[in-house]
Amino acid sequence: MASLRSAPDSRHASTTERPGAPGEPLSRLLPSKLAPPRTASVLVPCSAALRKVDEGIHGKLVLVTAPLGSGKTTLLTQWYREARAPHLLAWLSLDEQDNAPERFFSYLAGAIRRAAPDFDAYSTSQPDHATSVLLRSLWNLGRELVVVLDDFHVLHERSLVRAFSYLLDHSPPHVHWIVASRHPPELDLARLKLTEQLVTLDGRDLSLDGDAIRELGLRLCGAALTPEDIEFLRARTEGWVAGVKLALLSAGEHASVSDALRKAIGSNHDVAKYLADAVLREQPEEVREFLVLSSVVEQLNGELCNALMGITRGPALLAHLERSQLFIQPLDAEHQWYRYHPLFLDVLRAQLACDYGDRVPGLHRAASAWFAQRQMPDEALTHAFASGDRGWCLELTARCMEAWMREGEIASVLQWTARLTPEEVIRSPAICVGHIACLVLSRRFAHATSALQDAQYHLETAYPVASPERERLSKRLAHLTLLHAVLSDSAPDSGIDLDASPGSEESDVFIAGAVLAAKAYQALRMNRFDAMRRLALSARETLQGHNNPFLVGYTDVLVALADRAQGNMKDAAERCEEAFERASRGRRNPVWVNAATALANARYEQNRLDEAEALCVEVLPLLPQASVFETFALAYLMLARIKTVRGKYAEAYRLLDYLHSVLECSHQTRFLAHVCGEKIRLYLVEQAPTRMRVVAQEFGLGERMRRGEWSEKRFYDETWERLGLAQAWVMMVRGRHDKAHAILETLRASAHEAGYVSRETALLAAIAVCQWRAGDALAAFAALNRGFALVQRFGFGRSVFDETPGLQEVVVAAAMQRKLSYALPARYTTRYQDLLSAGPRVPREFATPPSAPLEPLTERELQMLKLLAQGLSNQEISERSNVALSTTKWHLRNVFAKLEVTTRTAAIVKAQERLQRNL
C-alpha cells in the first residue's frame, strides 16, 4: 500500500491533509457517526430479524428498507453489539452533509480504519478516484469485514450513489455490507439477486407480532396486556415499532392500561406529532398536498386520485410514495391499489380537516362518482353519504338497489336504505318498493307490515286523485302485499290463490318474478308439484330477457326440490349441476350461495361426502348474504350430518346449537323441527338417552303425543312429520315399538296421500328399523322392500341412511337372507359400499334378488290399474281419477314396481290377473 500513498495524482495532493487521510488521527472525525447510536434501555424483541441479518452477512449485501420509526437502527445496533461472528465491524451513520463526496469517503474510510487501524485508504473529492482507492485498500485488507451504513436514504447525490454502487459490485468477497434506508436505494441489485448475494429485510420483518407486543408491554408498562389489548394494538399499529412504543409509554402513565391504550391510539399527541413532523412536513408541497387530499378515501388508485384532485400524475405519485415507503402499502400484485397505514391515515385526515375542510364534501362527491362509474356500489354510496348531497344519495341508492336485487344481495339494500330517513324512503317510489320487497324476502315481516302501511298512507295523501303514477304504485303495493302474504303464512292451507298472476302490465319485473317464485314455493309447501312447476316456469318467462340470476336460480332450486320430493333424484341432481355451473361464472354472491348449497345437497345424497363437505365449508362464511332461509338452514343441517358421520359429535352439536338459536330468533318452526330430529338422532348415535329426553321435552314431543297429534292421518305438513318422526325414535329407545310404529304409519300415510315420495321412502325405512328392533324381521323386510320399490332406479339416498340409525343392519341382513325383492343398480352398490357392506365386499345378494311374492296393491293403485287396462293415457287417467298428473305418474310407477314390469302392455297383462283376484 506504500505505493498507493506515495504516488497520488497531483490534482489530489491536497486531499492527504483532509480528515481520513492515512495516518490522520480519527479525532478529526465526529465519533458519534462512527459507532451505533445510543438506543433505548428497553430493546424491541426482534430475534427473527437478527437471525436473518446473521445469515445475510455471508453474502455481499444485507439491505434493510422500512419506513421511519420501524426500528432499523435499533435492529442493527442490537446486532452490532451482539455479533458473535469473527468479523471486523465498521459503522457509519449518514446525514445530509455526507452528500459531499469528499466528506462521504473520508467518513467511510475513517469508519473502516476504526475497525482496522492498518486500513490505509485516503479520501479525494472525485468519487471515481476515491472508489478506486477504497477498493484497492479493501482488497489488500485480507480480513473479514462488515460495514454498516445507516440512513442511506439521505444520500441523494446521484454521482455519489453510483460510485457506491460500483464499490459494492467490485468489493472483495471478504467485505460485506449492511445498508439501512427508508426506501430502496438506486443500486444495481439485479446481479446480487442472481448470484444469491443479497438478503433483504423490510417493514414486515421488523413489525412486531403479538408475542413481541406482549413482551414490550411488560417492559414498558410493567403490566401484562390482555389478548384483546394486544390484538387491538397490533391491528391499529400493524406492528409499527414507533407506534407501539409511543402508545405503550403513554398508556403506562395511567392506572388502567386497557382504557389508556384505546385512547392513546389514534388520538395520541405524540404519535401524531411524530408522524407530522418527521414525515409529512419533510415532503415537497406537491407530495404533501397529494397525501392529505387523497386521504379522503380508504383505498388509493392512480386514476381515482386524478379524479379527486384534477391532476394527471396520480399513478406516478403513488409509485413515488411506495418507493419512498411513506407508510403506504400495495393491495395487489399489480400495484394498482394502495392504502395508507392506519395511524398515518389518521394524521393525514386531521390535516385534511384543518387545511382543506371546505374541499372535503367535493372530494367525497368526486370519489362517489368515480366508484359509481366503475360499478363499486358500496364505496360509491359511502362517499355519497359523506358528501352530504342527499339528492345524489337518493339517485345512487335507487340505481344500486336495482343491481343488488337482481343478484339477490338483499342485505346490501337494507343496509343502505337504513341510512336514509323514513321520509326519503317513502317519497321515492323505486326505493320504497325495493325496500319493502327486501324486508319481505329477508323474512322481516313485522317491519314489512309497518312499511306497507306507511306506503299505503303516503299513496293516499300524495296522490289524492287518479293518475298513472298512483296506479303504478298502487299495483306494486298490492303485489308486495301478496308477496308478504305468501311468504309470511307457513300454513299449507293459507288460502293464497296460486292461479292468480301479477299481470303482464307489471313494469317492475323483479316484483312480478318474485311474486310468482314465492307462489311456486308455497305450492311446493302445499305438495302441489304440478302447480309449482307451472308457477316456476311462469316466473322464468316473466324474467326472460332481463338479467335476474337470483330469481332464476331460485326457481331452479325449487324445481329441484320438487323433483327430489317426487323421487326424481337424477333430474334434481342434474338441475343442481346446471344451476351451479351458471352461478360459478360470476361472483360469490347469494346466487352462488344458493346454487352451491343445492349442489352440496345433491352430492350428499349421492354419498359423495367429501365434495359435499367442501362445498358446505366454502358456503358457511357467505351464508349471511343468503336471503333464502332454506339455504341457511340446509347448509348447517347437512354439515352437522356429515360431521356426525365422521364421528365429530362435538362439532355437530355446535353447528346444530347455533342453527337452533338463529331459528328460534326468527320463529322458523319448520326448520326447528328439523333441528329437533337431528339432535334426537345425534344423541341416539352417541347413545346419550338423557340428552335425548331433554331435547324431546324442550320441543314438547310428549305433550304433543298425549294430545293425539299423530294419532290419525291428516294433510301432510313438514313440521308435523319431522316432530312425529323424532317422537317415534324416542319411543323406540324406550322400547315402545308399537307406539313408534303407529306414529310412523300415520306419517307415512300422509306422505303417501300427498305424493311425497322421498318422505314416504324415509318413513318406510324408519318403519323397517322399528320392526327390526321389535323382533319382527319379516315385517321389517316387507317395509324395506316397499321403500326400495319407490326408488328402485336409484336406491335409498344418503339422507335415508343418516336419518335412520340401524337401517344399514336391516338392509345387509335382508340381502344376506335373500329377502330383497328388488335389484339395485351396480353403480349404486359401488357408490354406497361403505353403507351396504357386511364385510369388505358388497354381498352378491344385492345384485341377484330372490323371487318374492308380489306386494299387494292399494285401493288407489287398483283404481289406476282399472283405467290402465282400458288403454287410457296418463292424462286421461288423471282426469278420470281427479288427481294431478304428477300424482298419477307416481301411482303408476308404484304399480309397475309392485307388478315387476316396465311396460304398459306387461302391466295390463298382470293387471287382468290382479283384477280377477281383487274385483
Side-chain angles (χ1 to χ4, degrees), residues 633-694:
L634 178 60
Y636 275 91
L637 289 168
M638 186 170 20
L639 189 56
R641 279 193 184 179
I642 295 173
K643 295 295 184 184
T644 303
V645 172
R646 310 277 197 216
K648 299 178 179 179
Y649 303 131
E651 294 183 37
Y653 296 149
R654 285 194 293 271
L655 289 167
L656 291 174
D657 282 341
Y658 173 72
L659 179 59
H660 193 162
S661 64
V662 173
L663 293 173
E664 275 191 325
C665 294
S666 306
H667 307 292
Q668 296 287 331
T669 56
R670 180 160 64 101
F671 295 114
L672 279 171
H674 283 258
V675 171
C676 173
E678 293 301 322
K679 286 188 171 183
I680 290 288
R681 282 187 294 274
L682 180 56
Y683 294 136
L684 176 61
V685 170
E686 203 189 9
Q687 299 181 358
T690 302
R691 286 185 166 186
M692 181 187 293
R693 286 193 293 272
V694 170

Side-chain angles (χ1 to χ4, degrees), residues 604-610 645-646 796-798 801-802 807-809 811-812 827-843 846:
Y604 163 70
E605 289 291 353
Q606 295 166 342
N607 201 31
R608 296 160 69 174
L609 299 187
D610 290 340
V645 172
R646 310 277 197 216
F796 292 156
R798 177 78 205 205
F801 285 96
D802 291 341
L807 177 61
Q808 177 184 7
E809 180 184 355
V811 174
V812 172
R827 63 180 180 277
Y828 175 84
T829 56
T830 300
R831 178 171 291 172
Y832 288 83
Q833 183 170 354
D834 59 322
L835 292 169
L836 302 176
S837 296
R841 303 172 69 182
V842 177
F846 281 118

Side-chain angles (χ1 to χ4, degrees), residues 480-493:
L480 289 173
T481 302
L482 178 61
L483 182 67
H484 185 287
V486 171
L487 293 182
S488 63
D489 192 348
S490 60
D493 54 348

Side-chain angles (χ1 to χ4, degrees), residues 448-468:
T449 300
S450 177
L452 275 168
Q453 292 171 349
D454 292 343
Q456 192 65 43
Y457 176 78
H458 174 73
L459 174 68
E460 295 169 358
T461 55
Y463 303 95
V465 296
S467 66

